[in-house]
């Protein structure tokens, strides 16, 4: 069917454009921010991947990078920022605190940013090395190209397309759905 | 070295006001009756001999099982004499309240708010005694020994299984 | 202008021309104060602070600085960990200079254990070296970030590059780039690598150049100076009353540096100066940090010259872990290792307030031990908690734009301020 | 007993002696070790145990006595007048170190996989008294790692340090010579006596007294690391003896029960049955209230229960009965007795409980209920027996029944029109019940048992109540409220003091101070 072919090709082209022009919003809260700075700095130079431009307004960003520990107090803030971003949008949880809470298991820290927002890529490490950030970025770009980013899937689902399970939860554990 | 501080205290205040003094690991400390908390602090600050004019730290210790349960602990430093002292005051569990020293050192403001936030100690005469580290909706004082380590009180959570 | 202007204003006001500044009060444009919320997510707020401002136009009438967005319960975690397990948490207090926090905590516990006199000399020198490196990286980060916030991106790159060199060195020593957990109670976990000193000398040489570049780019820079000079002045009395220490306190003329006034480790053997500011404005804080980095480099060079040989960890099976080979092959060391890991080092009951010069000022540890394997209370006196509080006093009267450099020069570190 | 000074009759002669340069007075008949412990001087030991005889085989407790050529084992030398003892001279410490070195020479490097690790006396003494690097790491003598000694016990002969404590426990506590030593020198082994197995009813005490991880309990081994356990003082529910125990729990599950010293009741010991009496706490528990077999909310279930009981009461109180269990705490018994008397006007109160069982003259008593004494005390003389209940049921005198605790001993209750059950487990009565309410068990509540000697002993909650179950007294209060009464009990302690006011025999009983559970790793080695 020519039309569907046309649309799918177009989608591929668009995704290709998207993955190399990621405008990131670094939601920097803690130690990981120091390493995250390093990924911008000359040696690791995230610019090589077309993601060097930080946008400090969520409305202009399409990649939310949660860098550092998220506390219960910060939860609503993070959620609001995510809601303010335009679709399609992607989220990287940078470091174990943003992924699971890390070794802070107490009354104030939230066990992972995905308690309040959906996360596409989790980066382990306390803090992760800049290489891991770049690696995660490449993984995300592949995901974007395939159209398996969380919000991409949701958008498609809203338009009546079927969502591939794997994308519901980036770790492939589709059964649980997006919640923990 | 800072023995002189304790001597000054003891000659200035009577036994009922300074309950106990001592020195350990090079730290001089004095246990003060809560009623004299601010008076002692002011004396130490203004007395030319002690001249403890710099506010360093204020916190609280929960000695669960001991009476009185709480200790308010303040550290003072003298910029000129280069000596320091630790003041302690025991507060009962049912009503842990003591005079604020913000009038003496504006820097004490946040430290007292923190002690109030995490231990529930109330400081009489504090300009605005709000929570500082925890959010206003939080219930309880988390650093008390009987507060569970993982007593989370979430402000927000995703709906389980939701695909936003 | 318009003859049919509303008749309420008695005189016509010409804005932008002539002496608009010294018009009588009544004739200024009518303004009303409005609340403005900065942060907690704001490029200049480092992600963890919220400022609720009451502004009158561009002018700040009053401010309420709200912290706690990074409260990770250092104390609660410490009360549930053995004495050695606390080191990783100290790393993440001031995560820009983790080594300094490591050292500060270790010194406190060693005083409680009464082994502070028996720490091997080489270990003390190594602590000084890694500590001063951390201090340099701390100031580098502070200046780089603030420069970036003032749109001087080049400086950010220069200084980040320099920081990277130091981190690679620390990684060689400790195995981690940022969160080292390198210090142990009784010494340090491993000796320096063989070619550490030559490498460090080389890095210092390059770092001097980088700092000189940044110096040239900023100190003489009109835009930079305009936003730093005479902004947010802190007096010496303020510094004392608010308990300001470190670069912030010194820039205000408060000549207090723990390394000089209460020497710990082997700092009394080194020859270095303590820079002190004259005006207490943002530029002084910047200049003091710049100079402190140079002084730290002096200390590093002297330390490398006099670095003695010898062990780097106290030889006491009740404090320091036995060598791994012994642990795996003899029951004695296995038991010692087991006891130290599971039950923890047993610290006699007592209280201690031990203080060192952290990246931001007096980093104090007030520790209460009840004689078990974990602390009853492990309080950290965070320097930038006090340093940040003073914003409530100095910000009113400034312009909104002044918040960025001022906040940057206070150098609030979330992990340390909120713990 | 060791470590706890006892008041001595003034008549007994005091011996003057000097320990480490300080003069002391002791009664005759005391060993030097006990004397040192009384004055707070630590002396290490492996083979000595306060509850057992002292063979002095480990030579760890050596001390110097003025005038004696060589160090003397303090654990079996009696104090004598004008004796001068030195416990801390370099010579003594050195000798002890050498003995310890011998003990460690052939000890396997098992700490990471050893059940005793974390509460091991060998670890403790090495760390406290030696803490030096090994002087040789030659190969060690190999022995059998897994020897099945009996129903409950597995032995690792390599770890055994030959202290013979276990042998003496069998001989002196269980009075059965099940264990012996075989061979000599570094080939010496612990093993069962010819033709015997370690099957005496007190065999698990050998695991407690074993200073190392040689003897391990099949029930506990490899299930939990000792240092992660949280200890809570409590009382064994196995029989009327009421042995004092520590509940060792982790992650909200009981992992084992160990005896707690009480010279008046169980000394240092308890029986194997009692140790396994924690199993039911985690087995087939009733999790939520049910009405007519269907799960319901607490409020709904309580309302329904109150409605049924009130209806029965108003119809004819004489047909309404209540069944108490001798396994309930004094607080629960009292609360329900009061409910029956004041609110339900029940005069038919029956007492059931577990069947009688075997007994001996050591610890085990035939009455398998922990609180029969308390039940009789609180229930008073009008208390009827399970047999009476059977009769009344057959005769049809009782048509409505409020059953608390387990009622298995009673026959089938399906025929009853009104049956309200407060149950621990999903037992037959529950399925037949109009309303069933989940009841918290002994390890989940604060309360008290009265043992066969009439001693009132405290229980402390060690784990959270299973499912939605609640303590009996609390349910009683809420039932009373549903029936229109207003009681003021806010916690078990208030109920307890009310019991003490009422029941004369319990007056003077003390609730004691709150026990904060402690993790074993920070409670020092139990040895």
């Amino acid at each position: 069917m020519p039309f569907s072919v046309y649309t799918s090709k177009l989608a591929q082209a668009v995704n290709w454009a998207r993955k190399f022009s990621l405008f990131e919003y670094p939601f920097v809260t803690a130690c990981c921010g120091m390493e995250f700075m390093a990924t911008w700095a000359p040696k690791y130079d995230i610019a090589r991947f077309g993601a060097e431009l930080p946008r400090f307004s969520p409305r202009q960003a399409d990649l939310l990078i949660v860098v550092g520990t998220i506390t219960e107090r910060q939860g609503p803030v993070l959620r609001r920022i995510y809601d303010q971003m335009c679709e399609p949008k992607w989220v990287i949880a940078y470091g174990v605190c943003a992924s699971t809470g890390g070794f802070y298991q107490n009354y104030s820290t939230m066990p992972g940013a995905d308690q309040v927002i959906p996360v596409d890529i989790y980066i382990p490490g306390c803090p992760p090395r800049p290489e891991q950030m770049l690696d995660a970025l490449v993984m995300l770009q592949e995901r974007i190209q395939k159209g398996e980013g969380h919000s991409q899937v949701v958008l498609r689902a809203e338009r009546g397309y079927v969502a591939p399970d794997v994308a519901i939860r980036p770790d492939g554990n589709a059964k649980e759905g997006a919640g923990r | 070295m800072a023995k002189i501080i304790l001597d000054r205290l003891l000659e200035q205040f009577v036994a009922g006001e300074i309950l106990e003094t001592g020195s350990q690991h090079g730290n001089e400390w004095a246990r003060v009756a809560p009623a004299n908390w601010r008076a002692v602090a002011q004396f130490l600050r203004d007395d030319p001999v002690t001249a403890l004019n710099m506010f360093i730290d204020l916190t609280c210790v929960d000695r669960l099982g001991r009476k009185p349960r709480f200790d308010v602990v303040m550290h003072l430093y003298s910029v000129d004499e280069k000596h320091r002292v630790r003041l302690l005051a025991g507060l009962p569990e049912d009503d842990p309240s003591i005079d604020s020293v913000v009038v003496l050192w504006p820097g004490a403001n946040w430290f007292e708010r923190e002690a109030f936030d995490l231990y529930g100690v109330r400081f009489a005469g504090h300009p605005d005694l709000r929570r500082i580290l925890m959010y206003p909706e939080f219930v309880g004082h988390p650093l008390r020994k009987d507060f569970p380590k993982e007593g989370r009180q979430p402000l927000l959570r995703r709906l389980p299984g939701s695909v936003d | 202008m318009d003859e049919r202007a509303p008749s309420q204003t008695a005189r016509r006001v010409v804005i932008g021309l002539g002496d608009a500044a010294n018009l009588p009060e009544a004739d200024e444009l009518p303004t009303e104060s409005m609340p403005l919320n900065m942060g907690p997510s704001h490029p200049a707020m480092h992600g963890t602070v919220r400022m609720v401002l009451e502004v009158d136009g561009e002018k700040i009438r009053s401010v309420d600085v709200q912290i706690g967005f990074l409260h990770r319960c250092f104390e609660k975690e410490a009360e549930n960990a053995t004495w050695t397990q606390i080191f990783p948490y100290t790393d993440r207090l001031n995560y820009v200079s983790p080594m300094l926090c490591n050292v500060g905590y270790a010194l406190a516990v060693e005083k409680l254990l009464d082994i502070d006199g028996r720490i091997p000399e080489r270990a003390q020198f190594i602590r000084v070296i890694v500590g001063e490196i951390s201090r340099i990286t701390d100031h580098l980060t502070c200046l780089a970030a603030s420069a970036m916030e003032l749109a001087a991106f080049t400086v950010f790159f220069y200084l980040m590059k320099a920081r990277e060199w130091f981190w690679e060195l620390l990684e060689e020593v400790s195995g981690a780039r940022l969160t080292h957990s390198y210090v142990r109670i009784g010494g340090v976990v491993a000796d320096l690598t063989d070619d550490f000193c030559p490498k460090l000398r080389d890095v210092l040489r390059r770092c001097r150049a980088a700092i000189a570049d940044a110096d040239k780019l900023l100190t003489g820079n009109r835009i930079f100076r305009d936003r730093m000079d005479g902004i947010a002045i802190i007096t010496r009395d303020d510094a004392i009353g608010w308990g300001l220490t470190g670069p912030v306190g010194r820039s205000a003329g408060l000549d207090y540096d723990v390394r000089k006034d209460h020497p710990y480790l082997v700092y009394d053997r080194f020859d270095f100066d303590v820079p002190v500011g004259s005006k207490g404005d943002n530029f002084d804080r910047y200049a003091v940090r710049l100079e402190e980095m140079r002084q730290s480099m002096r200390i590093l060079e002297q330390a490398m010259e006099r670095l003695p040989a010898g062990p780097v960890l106290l030889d006491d099976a009740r404090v320091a872990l036995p060598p791994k080979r012994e642990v795996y092959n003899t029951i004695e060391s296995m038991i010692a290792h087991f006891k130290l890991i599971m039950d923890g080092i047993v610290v006699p009951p007592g209280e201690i307030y031990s203080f060192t010069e952290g990246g931001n000022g007096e980093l104090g540890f007030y520790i209460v031990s009840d004689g078990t394997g974990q602390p009853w209370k492990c309080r950290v006196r965070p320097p930038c908690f006090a340093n940040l509080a003073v914003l409530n006093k100095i910000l009113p009267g400034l312009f909104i734009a002044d918040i960025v450099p001022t906040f940057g020069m206070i150098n609030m570190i979330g992990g340390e301020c909120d713990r | 007993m060791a470590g706890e000074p006892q008041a001595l009759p003034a008549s007994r002669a005091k011996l003057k002696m000097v320990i480490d340069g300080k003069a002391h007075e002791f009664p005759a008949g005391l060993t030097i070790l006990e004397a040192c412990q009384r004055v707070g001087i630590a002396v290490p030991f492996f083979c000595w145990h306060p509850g057992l005889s002292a063979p002095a085989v480990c030579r760890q407790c050596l001390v110097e006595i003025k005038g004696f050529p060589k160090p003397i084992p303090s654990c079996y030398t009696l104090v004598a007048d004008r004796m001068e003892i030195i416990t801390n001279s370099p010579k003594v410490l050195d000798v002890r170190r050498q003995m310890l070195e011998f003990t460690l020479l052939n000890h396997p490097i098992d700490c990471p996989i050893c059940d005793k690790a974390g509460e091991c006396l060998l670890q403790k003494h090495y760390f406290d008294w030696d803490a030096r690097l090994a002087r040789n790491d030659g190969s060690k003598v190999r022995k059998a790692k897994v020897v099945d000694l009996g129903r409950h016990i597995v032995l690792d002969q390599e770890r055994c340090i030959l202290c013979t404590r276990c042998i003496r426990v069998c001989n002196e506590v269980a009075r059965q010579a099940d264990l012996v030593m075989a061979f000599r020198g570094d080939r010496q082994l612990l093993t069962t006596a010819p033709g015997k197995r370690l099957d005496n009813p007190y065999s698990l005490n050998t695991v407690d007294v074993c200073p190392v991880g040689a003897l391990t309990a099949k029930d506990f081994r490899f299930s939990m690391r000792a240092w992660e356990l949280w200890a809570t003082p409590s009382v064994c529910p196995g029989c009327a003896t009421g042995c004092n125990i520590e509940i060792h729990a982790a992650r909200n599950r009981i992992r084992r029960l160990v005896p707690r010293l009480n010279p008046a009741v169980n000394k240092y010991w308890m029986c194997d049955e009692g140790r396994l009496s924690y199993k039911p706490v985690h087995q087939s528990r009733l999790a939520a209230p049910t009405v007519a077999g269907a799960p319901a909310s607490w409020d709904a279930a309580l309302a329904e229960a109150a409605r049924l009981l009130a209806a029965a009461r108003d119809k004819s109180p004489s047909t309404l009965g209540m069944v108490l269990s001798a396994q309930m705490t004094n607080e629960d018994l009292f609360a329900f007795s009061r409910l029956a008397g004041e609110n339900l006007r029940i005069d038919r109160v029956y007492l059931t409980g577990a069947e009688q069982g075997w007994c001996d003259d050591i610890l085990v008593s035939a009455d398998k209920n922990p609180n029969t004494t308390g039940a009789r005390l609180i229930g008073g003389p009008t208390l009827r027996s399970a047999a009476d209940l059977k009769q009344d049921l057959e005769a049809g005198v009782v048509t409505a029944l409020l059953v608390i605790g387990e009622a298995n001993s009673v026959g089938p209750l399906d025929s009853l029109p009104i049956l309200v059950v407060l149950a621990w487990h999903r037992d037959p009565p529950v399925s037949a019940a109009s309303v069933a309410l989940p009841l918290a068990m002994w390890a989940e509540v604060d309360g008290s048992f009265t043992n066969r000697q009439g001693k009132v002993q405290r229980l402390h909650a060690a784990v959270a109540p299973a499912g939605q179950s609640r303590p009996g007294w609390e349910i009683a209060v809420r039932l009373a409220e549903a029936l229109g009464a207003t009681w003021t009990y806010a916690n078990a302690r208030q109920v307890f003091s009310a019991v003490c006011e009422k029941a004369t025999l319990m007056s003077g009983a003390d609730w004691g101070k709150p026990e904060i559970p402690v993790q074993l790793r920070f409670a020092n080695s139990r040895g």
Side-chain angles (χ1 to χ4, degrees), chain D residues 225-499:
Chain D
R225 296 321 305 259
W227 64 83
E228 291 181 350
L229 293 167
W230 293 80
T232 317
S234 186
V235 175
C236 174
C239 72
T241 309
C243 295
N244 291 210
I245 59 168
E246 261 183 17
I247 301 176
H248 287 176
R251 304 199 202 100
N252 209 31
R253 278 189 83 81
I254 301 178
R255 308 292 173 156
R256 68 176 178 188
L257 306 181
V258 297
R260 177 167 52 100
L261 171 64
N262 184 339
V265 179
N266 59 316
K267 305 205 172 47
Y268 299 86
W269 321 115
M270 72 187 285
C271 69
D272 294 356
E273 270 183 20
R275 283 179 197 265
L276 302 181
S277 61
Y278 72 88
K279 299 271 182 194
V281 175
H282 298 305
Q283 280 168 357
S284 68
R285 293 288 302 276
L286 178 63
T290 64
V291 174
S297 75
W298 262 109
D299 295 340
L302 279 167
E304 176 65 5
R307 190 183 65 76
L308 291 171
L309 292 171
R313 173 192 62 191
D314 302 340
K315 197 153 113 276
S316 64
S318 60
T319 62
L320 177 58
M322 179 170 77
V323 179
L324 298 174
S325 162
Q327 309 199 345
M328 298 160 62
T329 62
N330 289 322
E331 292 69 21
D332 298 3
L333 286 161
F334 174 78
F336 279 102
S337 311
R338 184 177 166 190
L339 185 75
E342 295 180 8
N343 307 88
L344 294 174
R345 304 204 302 278
I346 301 176
D347 53 4
R348 297 176 178 280
V349 178
Y350 307 90
L351 180 68
T352 64
E355 305 292 335
Q356 296 272 319
W358 73 284
C359 66
D360 61 22
D361 58 351
I362 304 172
L363 284 179
V364 184
S365 55
D367 175 6
K368 297 303 176 191
N369 301 299
N371 202 21
T372 311
T373 319
R376 299 221 173 283
L377 199 57
I378 292 163
T382 64
L383 208 55
R384 305 170 188 224
S385 74
D388 303 339
L389 176 58
K390 269 206 176 54
Q391 284 176 6
D392 295 355
L393 283 171
E394 283 151 10
V397 184
V398 174
T399 56
L401 209 53
L402 169 61
V403 177
I404 299 116
E406 46 80 55
N408 300 338
S409 51
V410 188
L413 300 164
D414 316 24
S415 56
L416 282 171
I418 295 180
L419 174 61
V420 177
V421 176
L422 281 67
W424 293 301
H425 298 102
R426 297 194 298 273
D427 290 334
V430 172
S431 49
S434 342
V435 179
L437 304 172
L439 201 55
M441 284 188 79
W442 60 277
E444 301 164 341
V445 299
D446 288 331
S448 65
F449 284 154
T450 309
N451 78 343
R452 61 182 176 187
Q453 303 155 282
K455 281 189 182 303
V456 180
Q457 310 191 98
R458 266 302 304 282
L459 303 165
H460 295 276
V463 292
Q468 303 178 23
S469 57
R470 301 302 306 153
W473 65 266
E474 188 181 319
I475 301 174
V477 170
R478 293 180 65 176
L479 268 176
E481 282 165 358
L483 287 164
T486 50
W487 293 4
T488 56
Y489 303 135
N491 54 40
R493 180 178 196 150
Q494 294 174 359
V495 186
F496 179 81
S497 39
V499 185

Side-chain angles (χ1 to χ4, degrees), chain C residues 361-392:
Chain C
E362 171 169 328
L363 176 73
F365 281 93
Y366 171 57
I367 301 182
V368 180
S369 167
D370 61 347
T372 62
Q374 51 185 178
W376 180 259
K377 178 183 176 69
C378 180
R379 150 89 174 174
V380 53
R381 189 267 179 190
C384 64
F385 186 75
N387 295 358
L388 189 69
V390 79
L391 280 186
N392 289 317

Side-chain angles (χ1 to χ4, degrees), chain A residues 25 28-29 31 34-35 37 41 43-44 56 69 71 73-74 81 103-108 126-127 129, chain C residues 41 43 46-48 67 69-73 77 88-89 92 95 160 163-164 167-168 171 177-179:
Chain A
Y25 181 100
V28 179
T29 64
C31 338
M34 298 302 115
E35 279 288 39
M37 279 188 197
K43 182 172 177 188
Y44 296 95
F56 284 105
T69 317
T71 59
R73 189 177 189 175
Q74 195 109 41
I81 292 201
F103 75 163
Y104 292 104
Q105 299 295 330
N106 51 44
Y107 55 86
S108 174
C126 189
R129 298 179 59 88
Chain C
S41 179
H46 303 195
T48 52
I67 62 172
F69 290 89
L70 191 55
H71 180 45
R72 297 188 286 195
C73 324
E77 295 283 357
Y89 291 105
R92 290 151 182 81
Y95 39 73
M160 281 293 124
R163 192 183 74 170
E164 198 64 36
W167 277 10
E168 282 162 9
E171 185 182 7
R177 283 164 54 84
L178 174 60
T179 47

Side-chain angles (χ1 to χ4, degrees), chain B residues 9-84:
Chain B
L9 270 181
L10 291 173
E11 73 199 36
Q12 185 70 20
F13 293 91
V14 300
E17 298 167 332
I18 303 295
L19 305 175
E20 199 182 354
T21 64
S23 169
Q24 187 187 29
H25 303 298
N27 293 171
E28 276 66 21
W29 56 271
R31 182 170 289 280
V32 184
N36 307 83
W37 182 247
R38 189 186 284 158
V40 170
Q42 180 148 18
F43 166 75
L44 289 175
R45 183 190 69 172
D46 300 339
D47 181 59
V49 179
T50 58
L52 289 155
N53 49 1
M54 186 163 180
F55 172 84
I56 291 294
D57 187 22
L58 185 145
T59 182
C60 176
V61 185
D62 177 359
R63 308 185 193 268
L64 183 60
R66 191 203 71 173
K67 281 191 172 24
R69 175 174 170 183
F70 296 104
D71 271 345
V72 174
V73 184
M74 178 161 64
H75 289 90
L76 299 176
Y77 177 66
S78 165
V79 176
D80 313 313
E81 305 296 327
K82 303 211 176 302
H83 58 207
R84 50 184 75 211

